[in-house]
Amino acid sequence: MSTDYQTNEAKSLLRRVLDSDIWYSFKKSKVTMVAAGVALIIFLAALLAPLLAPHNPFDLASLSLMDSLLPPSWTGMGDPRYLLGTDDQGRDVLSTILYGSRISIAVGLASVAFAAVLGITLGLVAGYMGGAVDAVIMRVADVQLSFPAILIALLIDGTISGLTGGVNREETAFTVLVISIGLSFWVQYARTVRSSTLVERDKEYVQAARLIGLHPFLIMLRHVLPNVMGPVLVIATINLALAIITEATLSFLGVGMPSTQPSLGTMIRIGNDFLFSGEWWITLFPGALLAVLVLAVNLLGDWLRDALNPKLR
Amino acid sequence: MIAFVIRRIIQSIIVIMVVGLVAFVMFRFVGDPVNQMVGLETSIADRELLREQLGLNQPLIVQYWHFISNAAQGDFGTSYQYRRPVSEILGERLPATLELALVSAIFAIAAGIPMGVYTALYRDSVLSNIFLTVSLIGISLPSFLVGILLIFIFSVHLQWLPSFGRGEVVDLGWWSTGLLTATGLKAIILPAITLGLFQMTLIMRLVRSEMMEVLRTDFVKFAKARGLKTRVVHFGHALKNTMIPVITITGLQFGSIIAFAIITETVFQWPGSGLLFLQAVQNVDVPIMAAYLLMIAFLFVLINLIVDVLYVVVDPRIRLEGS
């Protein structure tokens, strides 16, 4: 009985998704479907990198300097083992791209999650508490918003490496990146959540919750939060593209992922040194993947914003 | 009017003070200034003496005040890397960045406005769709990738344009310009396009949406009904009324052009303040980081202030609201 009930439940959930406005607008937009497909393929390829990659770029024993700087195999001058050629250390470019996109996407997702949690929390507190707390949080947000995120990320990155003395760069790079990017993107979440919280907090259900003596923390978490989450999803999708670009930029500038654990940005930086001697494949392949990934995520974000916006229907 | 300006100036000063506090905290607590200045064999007593002389034993609020008042007089301390006053180094590097930012802003406006007008007037034409697709790609491509692609095409393949540096520069007093020599002009093309591309797409999309809105208004319809030439209606009536938001956005974007120059300057090894800042971040040269932060903050606040005041002058509705 219970399984029957559950399949029914699952079916009706599927039915609900298929009948929803969002699914309809998704089916109607070919560009969005292509973008979703491309993004899905890249995400899966990144996730399954250890299974898909023909070589393991982190296994130093398998690398040979004899194989370094080989062109892609179809040019006739390369090695059939390395479809997209090799970099200066003899790493297979295709495998490094697969592992690199894994790092890029992981940093992107983690920093978006960090920024969202921080921004939602501060926005909720500012909107619900009001008064001095609100004023302080929002003024900080205003000041921060007047600076480009990349500048803030660079400053935080520099400050952290100054405080840690730059030791263990290889182990801390991931965390430092997530913190720098996360701290530079929280403002948008905070502003959006705050303005919806301001509307919600005077509604009757919140007053009722307050009346029965619930702790403000519980009211915010259980009653207000679910009702202000809608726009957050859109911001998060658009910010994912921005976070991936920011990570790639920081790595390209040499303050992100080290060359032993290259992200796409690091690979582009390494390849940039060889562009003039004709080794274009080290830069252009990761560059192309980065561009396609960001474009796909951007298109998805744009579509989601329009699909969830009742004014445009 | 005057009350409004004074209020905005006070707000601006508060913003600068807050950013100054951040810069001061960085300056004071990221790395020990004394350790950065002395050699390994300096005795502890000497270090304490230096600490005393630098005023690092005073209460923090006093130190903050010294930091701010020194900064206001253009004294940002001594760079850890170069062992020279920060203001001197920044002064040498600033002209390169400002020239680059100016040229790319001009490029963004000169290309963005016509493209925006065209896409608004001929919405479904093939060229409009190409412009819009290009602008979407322009927003999605990270700017360092655009720079690398341009270098790959125009410097490596075609060998038309240089890929790094400013070319020859001419000294005009304390300002060194690359805009007066042939090599300097050639050298600025690729960096300016790289830096201005994002702003160009922004301006194009803004002009397009504003134009489309204005074209629907009654006064444009009336102008058409009066039998004015289409050209006059489009450029004399419609475009003129889209210019206020365009000017505002472009003005506000000038600050971020300067900040984004960090990336472009790295790609093209352009000897400006952005490259200086990046090297400071890599080497934890805190005085330069703090000074750059303050400089950008000052610029942003100044531009915001000018735009706000101009708004009051231009738009009487805001003036009434203020009083």
Side-chain angles (χ1 to χ4, degrees):
Chain A
M1 276 300 275
S2 72
T3 50
D4 255 16
Y5 172 74
Q6 272 170 355
T7 43
N8 272 341
E9 179 93 312
K11 248 185 209 161
S12 74
L13 186 70
L14 187 69
R15 202 59 270 152
R16 266 174 59 198
V17 169
L18 288 179
D19 285 343
S20 67
D21 292 348
I22 290 194
W23 183 254
Y24 176 73
S25 93
F26 180 74
K27 271 198 310 190
K28 262 187 61 176
S29 164
K30 286 210 176 61
V31 177
T32 311
M33 285 173 79
V34 173
V38 169
L40 197 68
I41 290 171
I42 297 177
F43 273 65
L44 278 180
L47 194 68
L48 302 175
L51 300 174
L52 293 175
H55 303 268
N56 181 358
F58 300 122
D59 181 10
L60 294 175
S62 75
L63 302 179
S64 159
L65 279 179
M66 296 294 288
D67 292 335
S68 68
L69 299 175
L70 287 172
S73 59
W74 71 77
T75 57
M77 290 177 298
D79 187 310
R81 285 179 298 156
Y82 306 112
L83 183 64
L84 300 182
T86 57
D87 70 359
D88 59 323
Q89 297 178 41
R91 287 186 294 211
D92 177 36
V93 168
L94 176 63
S95 310
T96 321
I97 286 179
L98 285 170
Y99 278 92
S101 55
R102 206 177 193 208
I103 296 174
S104 291
I105 292 172
V107 173
L109 288 174
S111 46
V112 165
F114 178 52
V117 169
L118 188 68
I120 293 168
T121 313
L122 289 174
L124 261 181
V125 171
Y128 191 80
M129 296 295 184
V133 182
D134 182 28
V136 169
I137 294 177
M138 292 333 282
R139 283 301 83 73
V140 172
D142 285 346
V143 172
Q144 188 174 330
L145 203 64
S146 55
F147 294 93
I150 186 81
L151 181 67
I152 293 172
L154 269 173
L155 275 172
I156 296 169
D157 193 288
T159 309
I160 296 177
S161 53
L163 287 174
T164 57
V167 288
N168 295 331
R169 183 77 214 180
E170 311 217 330
E171 286 150 43
T172 55
F174 186 91
T175 324
V176 172
L177 271 176
V178 171
I179 294 175
S180 320
I181 302 173
L183 282 180
S184 46
F185 280 110
W186 65 274
V187 174
Q188 226 184 337
Y189 299 95
R191 289 190 145 195
T192 315
V193 168
R194 174 181 173 270
S195 60
S196 353
T197 305
L198 283 178
V199 177
E200 295 296 324
R201 75 165 180 197
D202 293 326
K203 286 198 178 159
E204 274 141 7
Y205 72 94
V206 178
Q207 288 178 350
R210 214 176 291 152
L211 212 61
I212 58 173
L214 273 187
H215 192 271
F217 177 73
L218 272 182
I219 301 179
M220 280 190 254
L221 197 68
R222 290 237 292 265
H223 298 274
V224 181
L225 183 62
N227 289 304
V228 298
M229 281 300 279
V232 169
L233 191 64
V234 178
I235 302 177
T237 320
I238 294 171
N239 271 1
L240 178 61
L242 275 177
I244 291 174
I245 288 186
T246 310
E247 186 278 330
T249 307
L250 289 175
S251 293
F252 174 77
L253 294 177
V255 292
M257 296 304 291
S259 54
T260 45
Q261 310 159 27
S263 71
L264 293 174
T266 319
M267 293 185 71
I268 296 169
R269 174 173 58 107
I270 297 171
N272 195 26
D273 297 338
F274 293 92
L275 201 58
F276 267 91
S277 43
E279 283 94 7
W280 49 271
W281 55 91
I282 313 174
T283 303
L284 293 197
F285 289 128
L289 182 69
L290 179 68
V292 172
L293 174 64
V294 170
L295 187 62
V297 176
N298 259 340
L299 286 171
L300 279 179
D302 280 354
W303 162 76
L304 201 61
R305 187 184 52 204
D306 293 347
L308 291 179
N309 188 348
K311 276 187 208 152
L312 291 176
R313 277 201 205 124
Chain B
M1 173 74 189
I2 291 171
F4 172 82
V5 173
I6 291 175
R7 205 163 54 229
R8 289 291 290 116
I9 289 177
I10 292 174
Q11 279 172 7
S12 308
I13 291 174
I14 293 174
V15 170
I16 291 278
M17 295 295 267
V18 171
V19 177
L21 184 65
V22 173
F24 166 72
V25 169
M26 271 171 51
F27 183 76
R28 183 66 185 77
F29 296 104
V30 179
D32 185 357
V34 172
N35 279 349
Q36 295 284 351
M37 290 168 125
V38 298
L40 277 175
E41 57 277 354
T42 314
S43 70
I44 294 178
D46 283 345
R47 281 170 197 249
E48 282 309 312
L49 193 67
L50 185 62
R51 199 174 288 276
E52 192 69 43
Q53 279 169 356
L54 288 172
L56 293 175
N57 289 336
Q58 287 167 327
L60 280 177
I61 186 86
V62 177
Q63 289 187 40
Y64 171 61
W65 178 247
H66 279 301
F67 178 81
I68 286 286
S69 54
N70 281 342
Q73 293 161 29
D75 176 9
F76 297 102
T78 311
S79 154
Y80 297 161
Q81 295 172 82
Y82 299 95
R83 311 270 159 197
R84 281 170 53 205
V86 173
S87 48
E88 210 178 289
I89 307 173
L90 261 182
E92 287 167 11
R93 298 289 198 104
L94 208 53
T97 300
L98 287 179
E99 266 177 17
L100 178 61
L102 198 69
V103 173
S104 53
I106 292 171
F107 159 73
I109 294 169
I113 292 180
M115 281 165 81
V117 171
Y118 184 86
T119 47
L121 292 181
Y122 308 100
R123 237 178 291 172
D124 298 317
S125 82
V126 181
L127 197 59
S128 292
N129 280 320
I130 293 175
F131 282 164
L132 286 175
T133 315
V134 168
S135 85
L136 188 67
I137 295 171
I139 286 182
S140 294
L141 273 183
S143 73
F144 67 94
L145 215 52
V146 175
I148 289 175
L149 277 178
L150 288 176
I151 289 182
F152 185 65
I153 296 171
F154 292 101
S155 300
V156 179
H157 254 266
L158 300 171
Q159 302 199 331
W160 286 352
L161 298 166
S163 67
F164 66 91
R166 280 182 87 187
E168 283 169 63
V169 292
V170 180
D171 280 321
L172 306 171
W174 54 276
W175 187 279
S176 72
T177 178
L179 296 179
L180 294 175
T181 61
T183 51
L185 283 174
K186 266 176 114 177
I188 208 170
I189 296 176
L190 291 184
I193 292 177
T194 307
L195 188 55
L197 196 65
F198 183 79
Q199 267 69 29
M200 185 198 86
T201 50
L202 206 70
I203 291 175
M204 180 192 125
R205 288 174 164 237
L206 189 72
V207 170
R208 176 173 178 267
S209 61
E210 292 285 331
M211 265 300 259
M212 276 158 57
E213 215 151 275
V214 172
L215 284 176
R216 277 201 296 267
T217 55
D218 289 340
F219 79 87
V220 169
K221 281 181 196 158
F222 178 60
K224 276 183 190 160
R226 277 195 306 179
L228 293 178
K229 284 192 187 127
T230 331
R231 205 187 163 75
V232 176
V233 177
H234 287 162
F235 292 96
H237 290 75
L239 184 62
K240 216 169 158 189
N241 278 285
T242 64
M243 281 299 106
I244 289 182
V246 173
I247 291 168
T248 319
I249 298 283
T250 319
L252 292 179
Q253 285 289 317
F254 194 72
S256 40
I257 287 186
I258 289 185
F260 271 100
I262 300 170
I263 304 162
T264 313
E265 286 178 9
T266 310
V267 177
F268 291 94
Q269 290 299 303
W270 188 263
S273 56
L275 193 60
L276 180 76
F277 172 70
L278 184 72
Q279 283 159 353
V281 168
Q282 283 163 344
N283 298 317
V284 198
D285 192 343
V286 184
I288 289 188
M289 283 161 71
Y292 185 83
L293 178 67
L294 274 175
M295 186 188 82
I296 291 279
F298 182 72
L299 213 69
F300 266 99
V301 165
L302 191 70
I303 293 172
N304 271 315
L305 191 67
I306 293 173
V307 168
D308 276 359
V309 172
L310 274 183
Y311 247 46
V312 180
V313 175
V314 170
D315 196 335
R317 280 169 298 183
I318 306 174
R319 203 157 42 210
L320 290 175
E321 225 169 80
S323 65

mmCIF file of all heavy atoms in Angstrom, chain B residues 277-294:
data_model
loop_
_atom_site.group_PDB
_atom_site.id
_atom_site.type_symbol
_atom_site.label_atom_id
_atom_site.label_comp_id
_atom_site.label_asym_id
_atom_site.label_seq_id
_atom_site.Cartn_x
_atom_site.Cartn_y
_atom_site.Cartn_z
ATOM 1 N N PHE B 277 48.649 47.123 -9.120
ATOM 2 C CA PHE B 277 47.824 46.591 -8.035
ATOM 3 C C PHE B 277 47.889 45.075 -8.008
ATOM 4 O O PHE B 277 48.037 44.467 -6.942
ATOM 5 C CB PHE B 277 46.376 47.051 -8.216
ATOM 6 C CG PHE B 277 45.403 46.410 -7.268
ATOM 7 C CD1 PHE B 277 45.419 46.728 -5.929
ATOM 8 C CD2 PHE B 277 44.480 45.480 -7.720
ATOM 9 C CE1 PHE B 277 44.528 46.128 -5.043
ATOM 10 C CE2 PHE B 277 43.591 44.879 -6.849
ATOM 11 C CZ PHE B 277 43.619 45.206 -5.513
ATOM 12 N N LEU B 278 47.810 44.446 -9.163
ATOM 13 C CA LEU B 278 47.841 42.985 -9.208
ATOM 14 C C LEU B 278 49.168 42.461 -8.661
ATOM 15 O O LEU B 278 49.210 41.511 -7.874
ATOM 16 C CB LEU B 278 47.624 42.486 -10.634
ATOM 17 C CG LEU B 278 47.567 40.964 -10.691
ATOM 18 C CD1 LEU B 278 46.281 40.465 -10.086
ATOM 19 C CD2 LEU B 278 47.734 40.460 -12.095
ATOM 20 N N GLN B 279 50.268 43.103 -9.074
ATOM 21 C CA GLN B 279 51.565 42.667 -8.548
ATOM 22 C C GLN B 279 51.629 42.875 -7.033
ATOM 23 O O GLN B 279 52.224 42.070 -6.327
ATOM 24 C CB GLN B 279 52.695 43.433 -9.248
ATOM 25 C CG GLN B 279 52.956 42.888 -10.644
ATOM 26 C CD GLN B 279 53.668 43.877 -11.537
ATOM 27 O OE1 GLN B 279 53.875 45.031 -11.173
ATOM 28 N NE2 GLN B 279 54.039 43.420 -12.724
ATOM 29 N N ALA B 280 50.975 43.957 -6.571
ATOM 30 C CA ALA B 280 50.945 44.195 -5.126
ATOM 31 C C ALA B 280 50.177 43.092 -4.411
ATOM 32 O O ALA B 280 50.581 42.635 -3.336
ATOM 33 C CB ALA B 280 50.310 45.558 -4.835
ATOM 34 N N VAL B 281 49.053 42.633 -5.013
ATOM 35 C CA VAL B 281 48.281 41.551 -4.401
ATOM 36 C C VAL B 281 49.120 40.279 -4.352
ATOM 37 O O VAL B 281 49.157 39.569 -3.345
ATOM 38 C CB VAL B 281 46.965 41.311 -5.181
ATOM 39 C CG1 VAL B 281 46.306 40.022 -4.732
ATOM 40 C CG2 VAL B 281 46.016 42.458 -4.982
ATOM 41 N N GLN B 282 49.822 39.997 -5.452
ATOM 42 C CA GLN B 282 50.620 38.770 -5.488
ATOM 43 C C GLN B 282 51.760 38.794 -4.476
ATOM 44 O O GLN B 282 52.113 37.778 -3.908
ATOM 45 C CB GLN B 282 51.184 38.559 -6.898
ATOM 46 C CG GLN B 282 50.122 38.023 -7.849
ATOM 47 C CD GLN B 282 50.518 38.180 -9.299
ATOM 48 O OE1 GLN B 282 51.434 38.932 -9.626
ATOM 49 N NE2 GLN B 282 49.816 37.497 -10.177
ATOM 50 N N ASN B 283 52.326 39.996 -4.248
ATOM 51 C CA ASN B 283 53.464 40.085 -3.334
ATOM 52 C C ASN B 283 53.077 40.612 -1.960
ATOM 53 O O ASN B 283 53.948 40.940 -1.161
ATOM 54 C CB ASN B 283 54.533 41.005 -3.935
ATOM 55 C CG ASN B 283 55.053 40.455 -5.235
ATOM 56 O OD1 ASN B 283 55.305 39.266 -5.357
ATOM 57 N ND2 ASN B 283 55.186 41.311 -6.223
ATOM 58 N N VAL B 284 51.765 40.714 -1.685
ATOM 59 C CA VAL B 284 51.262 41.251 -0.432
ATOM 60 C C VAL B 284 51.953 42.579 -0.096
ATOM 61 O O VAL B 284 52.481 42.773 0.993
ATOM 62 C CB VAL B 284 51.406 40.249 0.722
ATOM 63 C CG1 VAL B 284 50.490 40.638 1.880
ATOM 64 C CG2 VAL B 284 51.062 38.846 0.298
ATOM 65 N N ASP B 285 51.956 43.494 -1.076
ATOM 66 C CA ASP B 285 52.496 44.832 -0.861
ATOM 67 C C ASP B 285 51.333 45.712 -0.378
ATOM 68 O O ASP B 285 50.686 46.413 -1.152
ATOM 69 C CB ASP B 285 53.084 45.360 -2.177
ATOM 70 C CG ASP B 285 53.915 46.610 -1.959
ATOM 71 O OD1 ASP B 285 53.770 47.226 -0.892
ATOM 72 O OD2 ASP B 285 54.702 46.954 -2.852
ATOM 73 N N VAL B 286 51.082 45.645 0.947
ATOM 74 C CA VAL B 286 49.847 46.228 1.479
ATOM 75 C C VAL B 286 49.704 47.736 1.235
ATOM 76 O O VAL B 286 48.616 48.188 0.893
ATOM 77 C CB VAL B 286 49.691 45.880 2.974
ATOM 78 C CG1 VAL B 286 48.374 46.404 3.501
ATOM 79 C CG2 VAL B 286 49.763 44.387 3.157
ATOM 80 N N PRO B 287 50.774 48.563 1.391
ATOM 81 C CA PRO B 287 50.565 49.998 1.155
ATOM 82 C C PRO B 287 50.007 50.293 -0.235
ATOM 83 O O PRO B 287 49.126 51.141 -0.384
ATOM 84 C CB PRO B 287 51.968 50.586 1.312
ATOM 85 C CG PRO B 287 52.666 49.640 2.207
ATOM 86 C CD PRO B 287 52.127 48.283 1.890
ATOM 87 N N ILE B 288 50.495 49.576 -1.251
ATOM 88 C CA ILE B 288 49.980 49.823 -2.603
ATOM 89 C C ILE B 288 48.531 49.364 -2.698
ATOM 90 O O ILE B 288 47.680 50.059 -3.266
ATOM 91 C CB ILE B 288 50.861 49.115 -3.657
ATOM 92 C CG1 ILE B 288 52.205 49.824 -3.747
ATOM 93 C CG2 ILE B 288 50.175 49.118 -5.013
ATOM 94 C CD1 ILE B 288 53.076 49.351 -4.874
ATOM 95 N N MET B 289 48.214 48.188 -2.093
ATOM 96 C CA MET B 289 46.837 47.711 -2.122
ATOM 97 C C MET B 289 45.897 48.729 -1.479
ATOM 98 O O MET B 289 44.841 49.062 -2.023
ATOM 99 C CB MET B 289 46.719 46.369 -1.387
ATOM 100 C CG MET B 289 47.217 45.184 -2.183
ATOM 101 S SD MET B 289 47.564 43.755 -1.132
ATOM 102 C CE MET B 289 45.931 43.244 -0.675
ATOM 103 N N ALA B 290 46.308 49.225 -0.304
ATOM 104 C CA ALA B 290 45.464 50.179 0.424
ATOM 105 C C ALA B 290 45.293 51.467 -0.372
ATOM 106 O O ALA B 290 44.178 51.996 -0.493
ATOM 107 C CB ALA B 290 46.081 50.469 1.788
ATOM 108 N N ALA B 291 46.385 51.948 -0.963
ATOM 109 C CA ALA B 291 46.316 53.199 -1.711
ATOM 110 C C ALA B 291 45.434 53.044 -2.940
ATOM 111 O O ALA B 291 44.617 53.917 -3.253
ATOM 112 C CB ALA B 291 47.725 53.635 -2.138
ATOM 113 N N TYR B 292 45.566 51.912 -3.630
ATOM 114 C CA TYR B 292 44.749 51.677 -4.821
ATOM 115 C C TYR B 292 43.269 51.627 -4.454
ATOM 116 O O TYR B 292 42.429 52.218 -5.125
ATOM 117 C CB TYR B 292 45.179 50.372 -5.484
ATOM 118 C CG TYR B 292 44.492 50.092 -6.794
ATOM 119 C CD1 TYR B 292 44.948 50.655 -7.972
ATOM 120 C CD2 TYR B 292 43.389 49.265 -6.849
ATOM 121 C CE1 TYR B 292 44.318 50.421 -9.172
ATOM 122 C CE2 TYR B 292 42.742 49.013 -8.045
ATOM 123 C CZ TYR B 292 43.223 49.588 -9.204
ATOM 124 O OH TYR B 292 42.586 49.335 -10.386
ATOM 125 N N LEU B 293 42.985 50.917 -3.341
ATOM 126 C CA LEU B 293 41.600 50.829 -2.878
ATOM 127 C C LEU B 293 41.025 52.212 -2.609
ATOM 128 O O LEU B 293 39.930 52.557 -3.045
ATOM 129 C CB LEU B 293 41.545 49.970 -1.612
ATOM 130 C CG LEU B 293 40.174 49.810 -0.974
ATOM 131 C CD1 LEU B 293 39.260 49.023 -1.872
ATOM 132 C CD2 LEU B 293 40.277 49.118 0.374
ATOM 133 N N LEU B 294 41.800 53.034 -1.910
ATOM 134 C CA LEU B 294 41.339 54.382 -1.590
ATOM 135 C C LEU B 294 41.152 55.220 -2.852
ATOM 136 O O LEU B 294 40.191 55.972 -2.981
ATOM 137 C CB LEU B 294 42.325 55.073 -0.655
ATOM 138 C CG LEU B 294 42.099 54.794 0.826
ATOM 139 C CD1 LEU B 294 43.196 55.428 1.656
ATOM 140 C CD2 LEU B 294 40.741 55.353 1.258
#
